[in-house]
Amino acid sequence: DPGANPEFLTGIGLGLGVIAAVTVTFGNLAAYSQTNVKRLLAYSTIAHAGFMLMAVSALVVVLANGASVPGFDVPEAARMCVEGLLFYLFVYLFMNLGAFAVVALLRNQTFSEDIESFNGVGWQSPALCICMAVCVFSLVGLPPLGGFWGKLVIFMSLFNIGEVHWFMWVLLVVGGLNTVFSLFYYIRILKAMFMREPAEGARPVEVPSAISNYALLIALPVLLLGLFPTWTTSLAHGVATWLIP
């Protein structure tokens, strides 16, 4: 019963929010300093876990303290938190799987995971690199890709619940700034692929068409979830309504 001890539960929610802010910031800062693409993506995973934790923080805060705000629709705000979290989890499965798959496939060709080993591969294996571009831009949260809608719903939840507790607006600012910051290290991958010449003596990348098609197949849901988000948001909303009637 959230009303049994609202101060205690609000404290838990705010504590989770602080952890989420630290997690997002640490993950992005650690990723920014990496030259190994796999480690860069691994640290960025920490940042994305922080974004998901923001939704959990907002959910706890609104359930514990939302009734204190006259006219505030607590169930609807709570359902939006759950909906955003579920959508983010679903799309993150594909965009993260796609990015790591491309790194693994290119490593098998170049025998390296360093960003410099990816120089110029965008013109040698365009399908793989298009897949990486779709996944990377979705990880940043750019439209019209699935990651955009995942972050948008979570950010909308934080904005609405800021009426219940101002710290949710602080989380929203932290999340927005980290989203912009993440673009700087993600774009380094695409810059190497499409805007730099291969190093002298670098192994040529020759990826079979079947493997390239597999990578594109993974990236396709990321694009479709962005173009047609209602397919998943309707399901997530149904689950959220079942959990929070």
Side-chain angles (χ1 to χ4, degrees):
D1 181 10
N5 197 337
E7 294 82 7
F8 175 71
L9 290 178
T10 300
I12 291 178
L14 296 179
L16 290 174
V18 172
I19 295 173
V22 172
T23 300
V24 168
T25 305
F26 168 76
N28 279 331
L29 289 175
Y32 183 78
S33 63
Q34 301 302 313
T35 58
N36 181 290
V37 181
K38 182 184 285 187
R39 283 202 296 267
L40 183 153
L41 292 175
Y43 278 114
S44 76
T45 298
I46 297 174
H48 288 282
F51 283 117
M52 297 179 206
L53 190 56
M54 287 182 181
V56 178
S57 170
L59 175 63
V60 175
V61 168
V62 74
L63 288 177
N65 216 34
S68 63
V69 179
F72 189 82
D73 192 341
V74 176
E76 182 59 30
R79 285 193 290 267
M80 182 177 289
C81 294
V82 176
E83 181 180 338
L85 178 60
L86 292 176
F87 188 95
Y88 202 104
L89 281 169
F90 187 68
V91 70
Y92 186 70
L93 167 67
F94 292 102
M95 58 189 182
N96 205 41
L97 176 62
F100 274 104
V102 171
V103 173
L105 293 171
L106 290 177
R107 179 201 57 205
N108 293 341
Q109 296 288 321
T110 64
F111 299 113
S112 174
E113 296 169 352
D114 194 84
I115 290 181
E116 291 186 357
S117 69
F118 292 177
N119 287 355
V121 299
W123 310 110
Q124 300 178 55
S125 182
L128 278 186
C129 296
I130 289 172
C131 170
M132 177 62 91
V134 169
C135 293
V136 161
F137 285 135
S138 184
L139 286 166
V140 174
L142 298 181
L145 302 170
F148 167 75
W149 294 104
K151 284 187 178 178
L152 179 64
V153 177
I154 289 179
F155 286 172
M156 286 176 60
S157 301
L158 294 173
F159 179 80
N160 292 335
I161 298 172
E163 187 177 348
V164 175
H165 199 288
W166 58 268
F167 186 69
M168 295 298 104
W169 287 334
V170 174
L171 277 186
L172 175 60
V173 172
V174 171
L177 291 175
N178 272 279
T179 296
V180 174
F181 179 74
S182 68
L183 179 62
F184 289 95
Y185 65 80
Y186 279 126
I187 205 70
R188 287 162 53 201
I189 303 173
L190 301 182
K191 183 179 178 181
M193 288 180 165
F194 293 103
M195 299 180 65
R196 290 181 179 167
E197 295 293 330
E200 186 176 349
R203 288 174 55 87
V205 175
E206 299 176 354
V207 180
S209 59
I211 294 179
S212 298
N213 293 337
Y214 164 75
L216 291 174
L217 190 62
I218 296 176
L220 184 60
V222 179
L223 180 60
L224 292 179
L225 286 168
L227 295 175
F228 308 102
T230 53
W231 294 352
T232 306
T233 54
S234 298
L235 178 61
H237 184 74
V239 174
T241 303
W242 177 72
L243 291 173
I244 305 173

